[in-house]
Amino acid sequence: MSAPHSHAGLTVDAAPRRKEDERLLLGRACFTDDVHLDRMVHGVFVRSPMAHARIVRIDASAAIAAGALLVLTAEDLPFIDRDFVLRYANPHIRGGLPTFLARGRVRFVGEPVAFLVAPDRYVAEDLAALVDVEYESLPAVGSVAAAQQADAPVLHDSWVGNVAAAFTRTRGEPLSVMQAAPHRLKRRFGFGRQVPLPLETRGCVADFDRAAGKLCVWSSIQTHYALRQNLASLLDMPEPSVRVVACDVGGGFGSKSRPYVEDVVVSHASRVLGQPVKWIEDRFEHLQATTHSRAIDTELELGFDDQGRILAMNARLVADIGAYVFTSGIITAEVAASVMAGPYRIDHLQVDVCCVGTNKTPLATFRGAGQPEATLAVECMMDLVARQLGMDALELRRRNVVRPVDLPVAAWIPIGDAVGEIESGDYPQMLERLAQHSGYQETTQKNADGETLAWGLACGFELTGFINFESAKVRVGTDGKVTVWSGMSSQGQGQYSTYATVCAEALGVDVDEVTVCLGDTDMLPFGRGAFGSRGAVVGANAVAGAAALVLQKILALAGTMLDAAPDSLEMRNAQVYRRGGAATGLTLAAIAQSCAPGGRHFNGEPALEAQFVFDTQNKLTFALAVHAAQVAVQPATGFVRVVDYYVVHDAGREMNAMVVEGQVVGGVAEGIGGALLAEIVHDADAQLQTGTLADYLVATAPEIPRIRLDHVRTVPTTNPLGVRGVGECGVIAVAPALINAVARAIDPAGTSFQQPLFQVPVRPGAVRQAYADHAGGDPGARE
């Protein structure tokens, strides 16, 4: 369904105060653990301490005797042989979906084996220790290399050679063009396994009402409608009998963008007991059992000519998919393959993808979902090509980026029916702004502390508005106040403020007169939720569409009441004005009262309202960015300090400048931590070595420099509001920008191989090794 008219006239680019901040800052938010119900009991999952083992027996008798209200194992679940509904059902997936509780075999540390319920959480934790699980240890697969050995244990019968999925994406004639290229360069890159780590861990409260035959679930989730769909399907309930509420969700970053087995097991426990059951994940569980991400190794080859024009690309991506194909399928690997060319004019490319199983936590999405992994390889290679040709890295990009004259241009190799064209934007202008305003230079300096200062550069672009369709409803009350209901959810992205602003602008009312409601499947029959930077591109356009329909009704009623043509009227300040400025004295409240039941113009509709489903028609909207980072590198220690950071970003029409800035700056901060610090580490036996925040490192305030943000604003034609998503572009280009800076600090002339730097995160040891490789010995020898 198309919008009733274009919203290009909206001027929603100011930065009003965020509507949600006051209650969040004053402690009035409602997170999942804040839900307290009468007769509520508490659950704890018994998780496997072993990476790979056969379950010999599970004996819960001691726990039951000591007071456990319920202990569930796989054999107690009537839906144990059924599967989740996959959001991305790639035909190349070879099975291996997760079970709701381990059945006969465990395949990663932290896999849930049983679920115990007790009167309170403390008792439940103690009783869980009484559940006796006997395991028979099996050889574990601790790495992709181990998984591909001829004698490696096979994790699933359908995963021949431990390959969970494999596919190839091709454009043009990459093999022949590569063979004919005057120059070829090949390198390997690795993006380590990481975890999104939101402040609020996962959790849910399930309340099954036996008398009504209804289930209500409060869950810390990004996709409440997907959870409702799966709960209804697996528990054999009509969808309208299942309500999912995602109140205030304390961060997601992709980790909560799909249902988990725990949500279903907790809901089933509530149905068995006939009373509410709460489960809240602790941080140790979170690092073990909430999906990991990144974990992609890339071998990339570029063919290019003497002028630096990239002619062909060949890439091989290997993703460590973990022990199961999760409910988001293999979307991270798919996206990485699809955006491998970056924002460059590369007509000939081939990308081979192999998703390999290991005895680790399953892989899923994390902010950017495959795009940071692909961008790492492409952007580091652009610098390497420039160095080989003796050319400025900035100039090489100028010669290869997509230009306005090239538009529209296919920017990716499609997934399914989605259309990925860059049809607007101006990368050359963005590069020029960076050159003029960032301070970027391709020479190095020494400071008084003996550090080498250097700049690095990287381009990035982001697929936004992923997955078409989102719904919204707008209603004007008889008091003139406006309510917006959206099928979206929020994890801090500012939807309450943005949607209120969009609706207020469309209806000509003050933003403070608009209330926004999100995160409840009972509000609207259909919704998707927040993921893939779709809050503005899809969610806000749904709100704008619903508001436009309401405005049509308002002006039609006003025309009847004033005996005037509707198109001669307009709304401002919640009042009707004649075009040209004359006030009529007719208020929005009076119009709403006139069409309410009992009003003079009542026509059978209960309120002045409209509902709208926005359809992207499978067209993606791209957000564009160029990053420059300045680092200070200490040769003796290998320590890297980020000194300055500059981003040129194109978000299209900015609906709320403060929200845009917060998303981009926050993404850069998260990207710095991911590039230099964060890594989930397993040993050779697939035992987790980074199970606490003392071991899994994240960036804190001292590691984040001043982040300067600049904008080039071009308006996309892919959606009526002319907006681009901003949730992920801040993180996508960070790692290669930093690595290119570190590489320049170590070797300004670009004569050394520098392979140690191409494994994220870049640790001090890798920096010292790169210095040693360049100097041919002790990194301190060059000082």
Side-chain angles (χ1 to χ4, degrees):
M1 184 176 183
S2 299
H5 68 266
S6 172
H7 311 297
L10 291 181
T11 58
V12 284
D13 57 359
R17 186 176 63 183
R18 290 186 7 142
K19 294 176 74 69
E20 52 266 66
D21 285 353
E22 182 175 349
R23 63 182 178 80
L24 292 170
L25 292 171
L26 293 177
R28 296 173 184 163
C30 181
F31 299 100
T32 302
D33 201 22
D34 294 321
V35 176
H36 302 285
L37 305 177
D38 290 342
R39 303 172 54 247
M40 187 171 72
V41 292
H42 297 258
V44 170
F45 282 91
V46 177
R47 298 185 181 275
S48 171
M50 309 190 73
H52 197 197
R54 185 172 294 108
I55 299 174
V56 178
R57 63 180 180 85
I58 303 174
D59 183 359
S61 58
I64 295 294
L69 303 176
L70 177 71
V71 177
L72 295 173
T73 66
E75 303 309 319
D76 300 311
L77 305 180
F79 46 84
I80 190 62
D81 291 318
R82 297 163 73 175
D83 292 325
F84 273 118
V85 177
L86 284 182
R87 185 195 294 163
Y88 312 111
N90 186 299
H92 300 287
I93 293 173
R94 303 174 182 178
L97 273 64
T99 56
F100 297 94
L101 291 172
R103 191 181 192 185
R105 189 172 165 193
V106 292
R107 293 179 172 86
F108 67 95
V109 173
E111 182 170 1
V113 175
F115 183 62
L116 181 144
V117 182
D120 65 54
R121 173 68 178 266
Y122 300 99
V123 172
E125 292 280 2
D126 290 341
L127 294 178
L130 299 180
V131 177
D132 182 18
V133 184
E134 182 181 344
Y135 299 99
E136 179 185 320
S137 179
L138 297 172
V141 179
S143 67
V144 166
Q148 296 184 313
Q149 295 296 315
D151 59 348
V154 176
L155 300 187
H156 299 274
D157 291 343
S158 58
W159 289 9
V160 177
N162 284 319
V163 174
F167 58 91
T168 297
R169 299 197 185 281
T170 303
R171 182 167 68 202
E173 301 294 334
L175 299 182
S176 60
V177 175
M178 181 69 75
Q179 289 174 353
H183 305 280
R184 297 168 68 169
L185 184 65
K186 181 187 290 188
R187 291 289 187 273
R188 298 186 310 279
F189 304 88
F191 213 120
R193 179 172 284 256
Q194 298 179 347
V195 64
L197 207 73
L199 282 176
E200 182 194 23
T201 59
R202 292 184 296 134
C204 68
V205 176
D207 184 14
F208 184 78
D209 185 334
R210 285 178 175 171
K214 292 187 175 182
L215 172 67
C216 184
V217 174
W218 291 262
S219 179
S220 182
I221 192 169
Q222 297 171 232
T223 51
H224 46 313
Y225 283 91
L227 179 55
R228 181 186 70 173
Q229 177 189 21
N230 276 279
L231 288 172
S233 173
L234 293 163
L235 301 179
D236 294 316
M237 298 178 65
E239 274 198 22
S241 296
V242 179
R243 179 188 181 193
V244 176
V245 181
C247 315
D248 292 305
V249 178
F253 307 110
S255 67
K256 302 173 183 175
S257 64
R258 61 244 151 222
Y260 281 79
V261 297
E262 288 91 344
D263 300 301
V264 183
V265 174
V266 173
S267 298
H268 178 67
S270 177
R271 182 164 65 173
V272 171
L273 291 171
Q275 60 191 116
V277 178
K278 175 186 280 190
W279 165 72
I280 301 296
E281 180 184 60
D282 64 34
R283 186 60 68 184
F284 184 60
E285 280 185 291
H286 180 81
L287 289 166
Q288 281 189 335
T290 293
T291 52
H292 298 167
S293 196
R294 310 297 189 226
I296 290 180
D297 293 330
T298 303
E299 184 177 78
L300 181 61
E301 182 179 23
L302 295 181
F304 50 98
D305 62 20
D306 294 336
Q307 288 71 47
R309 181 76 175 89
I310 307 300
L311 305 175
M313 169 187 286
N314 284 332
R316 174 172 169 77
L317 276 63
V318 178
D320 181 347
I321 203 74
Y324 298 96
V325 172
F326 206 67
T327 53
S328 52
I330 55 172
I331 190 63
T332 295
E334 289 185 87
V335 170
S338 293
V339 301
M340 203 68 220
Y344 301 110
R345 291 170 284 130
I346 304 176
D347 297 326
H348 305 278
L349 69 158
Q350 178 169 310
V351 185
D352 298 316
V353 178
C354 185
C355 299
V356 178
T358 60
N359 287 119
K360 300 176 186 175
T361 306
L363 201 71
T365 53
F366 177 18
R367 200 173 194 169
Q371 296 167 98
E373 298 89 316
T375 303
L376 168 71
V378 174
E379 289 299 317
C380 287
M381 282 292 279
M382 294 300 287
D383 264 40
L384 292 172
V385 169
R387 288 177 171 227
Q388 181 166 320
L389 293 174
M391 183 184 298
D392 285 350
L394 183 60
E395 177 59 28
L396 183 81
R397 287 172 172 83
R398 288 190 182 108
R399 297 184 184 189
N400 286 280
V401 289
V402 171
R403 305 159 300 182
V405 70
D406 302 316
L407 303 177
V409 62
W412 76 328
I413 311 172
I415 297 174
D417 298 326
V419 177
E421 282 188 342
I422 295 180
E423 39 58 65
S424 58
D426 193 340
Y427 265 111
Q429 183 186 355
M430 296 172 77
L431 289 169
E432 291 312 309
R433 288 191 72 89
L434 181 141
Q436 294 170 14
H437 302 295
S438 68
Y440 175 83
Q441 55 184 293
E442 302 199 355
T443 58
T444 62
Q445 299 172 321
K446 288 282 188 180
N447 65 16
D449 296 323
E451 297 172 312
T452 303
L453 277 70
W455 283 89
L457 166 69
C459 295
F461 72 107
E462 175 195 356
L463 314 177
T464 76
F466 209 56
I467 304 298
N468 56 347
F469 301 121
E470 192 52 81
S471 63
K473 181 166 70 174
V474 172
R475 176 186 296 166
V476 179
T478 54
D479 57 358
K481 296 185 184 297
V482 181
T483 303
V484 174
W485 291 270
S486 169
M488 290 287 296
S489 58
S490 177
Q491 299 86 48
Q493 302 97 324
Q495 277 95 325
Y496 291 94
S497 304
T498 301
Y499 295 174
T501 304
V502 169
C503 184
E505 289 278 347
L507 297 183
V509 301
D510 189 274
V511 69
D512 289 334
E513 300 300 306
V514 181
T515 299
V516 176
C517 304
L518 306 168
D520 188 337
T521 59
D522 270 9
M523 293 178 184
L524 296 166
F526 171 84
R528 293 285 196 195
F531 58 92
S533 296
R534 62 194 308 276
V537 175
V538 192
N541 273 288
V543 172
L549 292 173
V550 171
L551 181 63
Q552 286 182 356
K553 294 183 178 183
I554 291 169
L555 296 180
L557 284 163
T560 299
M561 297 168 75
L562 297 171
D563 193 21
D567 60 5
S568 70
L569 306 173
E570 62 182 1
M571 288 295 302
R572 282 185 281 127
N573 303 318
Q575 298 184 53
V576 179
Y577 287 76
R578 300 187 190 278
R579 291 194 182 276
T584 66
L586 182 61
T587 66
L588 181 59
I591 296 171
Q593 292 164 12
S594 76
C595 67
R600 182 176 179 183
H601 297 97
F602 174 63
N603 64 357
E605 295 187 11
L608 181 54
E609 66 180 24
Q611 189 166 319
F612 183 77
V613 176
F614 178 69
D615 180 5
T616 65
Q617 299 178 349
N618 288 315
K619 293 179 180 178
L620 293 169
T621 299
F622 287 85
L624 319 176
V626 181
H627 292 218
Q630 187 185 36
V631 301
V633 184
Q634 176 54 254
T637 64
F639 183 75
V640 175
R641 182 168 57 90
V642 186
V643 177
D644 194 5
Y645 207 100
Y646 175 89
V647 180
V648 186
H649 192 272
D650 186 352
R653 183 173 287 111
E654 297 173 27
M655 295 184 294
N656 186 304
M658 182 170 62
V659 169
V660 170
E661 181 176 357
Q663 287 292 303
V664 177
V665 170
V668 172
E670 192 165 43
I672 290 172
L676 300 177
L677 298 168
E679 185 175 19
I680 289 286
V681 177
H682 294 80
D683 66 14
D685 296 319
Q687 284 290 329
L688 181 64
Q689 304 296 294
T690 49
T692 74
L693 294 183
D695 307 298
Y696 184 81
L697 305 181
V698 296
T700 57
E703 285 83 54
I704 306 303
R706 173 185 60 160
I707 298 170
R708 295 178 288 143
L709 184 58
D710 195 2
H711 295 280
V712 168
R713 295 177 175 89
T714 64
V715 179
T717 62
T718 51
N719 63 86
L721 283 174
V723 296
R724 306 180 191 274
V726 294
E728 296 161 288
C729 207
V731 77
I732 288 170
V734 175
L738 292 173
I739 290 172
N740 288 337
V742 173
R744 180 167 287 115
I746 295 171
D747 179 14
T751 59
S752 58
F753 193 59
Q754 299 184 329
Q755 187 65 47
L757 300 181
F758 301 146
Q759 178 66 46
V760 172
V762 179
R763 299 286 176 79
V767 176
R768 283 181 53 82
Q769 184 61 54
Y771 266 115
D773 291 348
H774 176 58
D778 181 5
R782 298 181 64 243
E783 293 305 299

